[in-house]
Amino acid sequence: MKRRNFFGKLSMTVSGFLGVNSLEAQSQNLNSNPKRLTNSPLSIATWNCPEAILISGKLMEAGISALDAAVKGVAFEEANEKNTTVGIGASPDQSGCVTLDACVMDDKGNCGAVMAVENILHVAKLARKVMEDTPHVNLAAAGAEEFAYSKGFKKTKLLTPASKKRWEAWSQKSNSSPKINVENHDTIGMLCLDDYGNLSGSCTTSGLAYKMKGRVGDSPIIGSGLFVDNEVGAATATGLGEAVIKTVGSFLIVELMRNGCSPQKACEEAIQRILSKHSGKTDFQVGFIAINISGEKGAYSIHKGFSYTYFKSGRAINTSSASFY
Ligand code: SD4
């Protein structure tokens, strides 16, 4: 497809998703609030997700908060059947059941998460409901699903004919084991810095493809898959969740930034920490992205192949991350 057609189509898709009226309404908000930062709004997400980044970036340009932008941005990927690691069309667990994990964290340090949830599409939005409408941080499995229905979420069949076919092919192999997807589309962690200098983030995934039933990775674990501190910065992760959890990766990056590291240096240190705990064994991937409160960004992964997408001057730019190997 020609580049111009692609971006034309993309902006139509995105404006449909945004709702033009809400943009117009919110732009009045922007006019009445002065822009505080020169590097804002900034949104950045793991992997190649231009539509999600355009949604979050344009919402923030229209004066919408970083939290709203982070939840609405990843919603695009949750509804994207081609993304085999997020929302509808995602790979199931060993038993053929799709279970989703997600979390959100805002500029005030509030957070919410849902884990191992079946039949609910927009799990980042559900995590936000846990944060805003319950006294808890984490809701799991059937409890999270029941809570979703009580909040008006619809039951959605997440296993598509394509994801069922992939799972059937996988289950026929004799040495079937869980795997980290290495396609362009993968777990989406998104960090947003709005024009008022506030940071928020979201992370949404189906986790490891063909995982053990009940397995939960890093993505919905605050501090591991995502961490936001409005005084410092924010970080999010993709890759082998067990390795990220063992080093509390996203929290580690934010603390490194608090102690003076740039987002880039902090991501590199966190990857080094993981490698130092797995001496000799590097057959897995982890990637981190981070931003600080000044709008500087960083990304680093163990292996080549990880990329991230960010919003700049009305455009979504996808870039390869630097890597250890
Ligand atoms: C997990 N970190 O559940 C997730 C998987 C992932 O890209 O990021 N895949 O371990």
Side-chain angles (χ1 to χ4, degrees):
M1 193 186 297
K2 283 216 176 88
R3 195 179 154 82
R4 230 165 114 197
N5 287 348
F6 173 73
F7 282 108
K9 270 204 166 149
L10 189 63
S11 63
M12 273 164 62
T13 322
V14 168
S15 54
F17 216 78
L18 291 173
V20 171
N21 289 342
S22 89
L23 269 184
E24 280 165 2
Q26 294 295 335
S27 67
Q28 292 165 4
N29 213 355
L30 181 67
N31 295 337
S32 58
N33 289 285
K35 186 172 163 78
R36 283 181 38 187
L37 293 166
T38 48
N39 279 350
S40 67
L42 172 65
S43 63
I44 177 169
T46 52
W47 304 105
N48 187 14
C49 53
E51 299 93 339
I53 281 295
L54 283 179
I55 289 166
S56 58
K58 285 181 185 288
L59 284 171
M60 287 191 289
E61 275 188 341
I64 289 187
S65 71
L67 177 64
D68 272 327
V71 171
K72 290 185 174 145
V74 300
F76 183 91
E77 287 299 325
E78 290 170 337
N80 176 8
E81 287 195 24
K82 291 195 187 120
N83 186 328
T84 59
T85 315
V86 176
I88 192 162
S91 300
D93 65 15
Q94 288 179 358
S95 73
C97 180
V98 179
T99 62
L100 302 181
D101 303 328
C103 71
V104 296
M105 190 159 186
D106 74 6
D107 55 291
K108 296 174 191 66
N110 299 312
C111 47
V114 292
M115 301 162 189
V117 194
E118 292 176 40
N119 303 315
I120 303 296
L121 178 60
H122 290 303
V123 278
K125 185 176 174 190
L126 182 59
R128 181 180 182 171
K129 287 275 178 217
V130 173
M131 173 175 93
E132 290 178 340
D133 296 357
T134 81
H136 307 302
V137 170
N138 299 330
L139 279 187
E145 191 179 342
E146 271 171 38
F147 173 69
Y149 299 136
S150 78
K151 292 289 165 185
F153 286 71
K154 299 271 174 299
K155 186 168 182 158
T156 306
K157 195 171 178 335
L158 300 172
L159 192 69
T160 58
S163 55
K164 188 167 181 226
K165 211 168 151 191
R166 285 196 311 272
W167 167 71
E168 281 167 350
W170 169 84
S171 59
Q172 272 155 24
K173 287 189 209 139
S174 55
N175 62 344
S176 307
S177 60
K179 60 173 191 149
I180 281 285
N181 305 53
V182 289
E183 295 93 4
N184 265 353
H185 282 293
D186 229 307
T187 293
I188 301 296
M190 182 179 285
L191 310 173
C192 293
L193 174 65
D194 65 28
D195 271 344
Y196 316 111
N198 288 325
L199 279 168
S200 289
S202 59
C203 189
T204 183
T205 192
S206 58
L208 212 53
Y210 319 128
K211 60 196 176 185
M212 277 180 74
K213 195 170 179 63
R215 180 265 187 192
V216 172
D218 60 314
S219 305
I221 311 273
I222 296 296
S224 292
L226 174 73
F227 197 71
V228 176
D229 185 324
N230 213 44
E231 286 173 14
V232 179
T236 187
T238 181
L240 184 64
E242 282 73 6
V244 178
I245 292 171
K246 286 174 191 170
T247 50
V248 199
S250 294
F251 181 73
L252 173 61
I253 290 171
V254 172
E255 290 307 293
L256 286 163
M257 292 194 287
R258 191 191 305 282
N259 290 322
C261 283
S262 66
Q264 183 60 35
K265 178 83 180 130
C267 289
E268 290 173 15
E269 289 275 322
I271 290 291
Q272 286 285 358
R273 183 76 60 88
I274 290 176
L275 289 171
S276 71
K277 303 280 176 202
H278 288 81
S279 37
K281 190 172 176 284
T282 56
D283 60 343
F284 61 90
Q285 174 69 306
V286 171
F288 289 113
I289 57 169
I291 56 175
N292 64 18
I293 197 69
S294 314
E296 292 170 321
K297 54 189 178 310
Y300 202 62
S301 58
I302 298 179
H303 296 285
K304 285 193 177 56
F306 173 50
S307 75
Y308 61 96
T309 309
Y310 63 97
F311 184 78
K312 191 168 181 205
S313 311
R315 290 176 57 218
I317 300 169
N318 179 250
T319 309
S320 293
S321 163
S323 62
F324 184 82
Y325 289 108

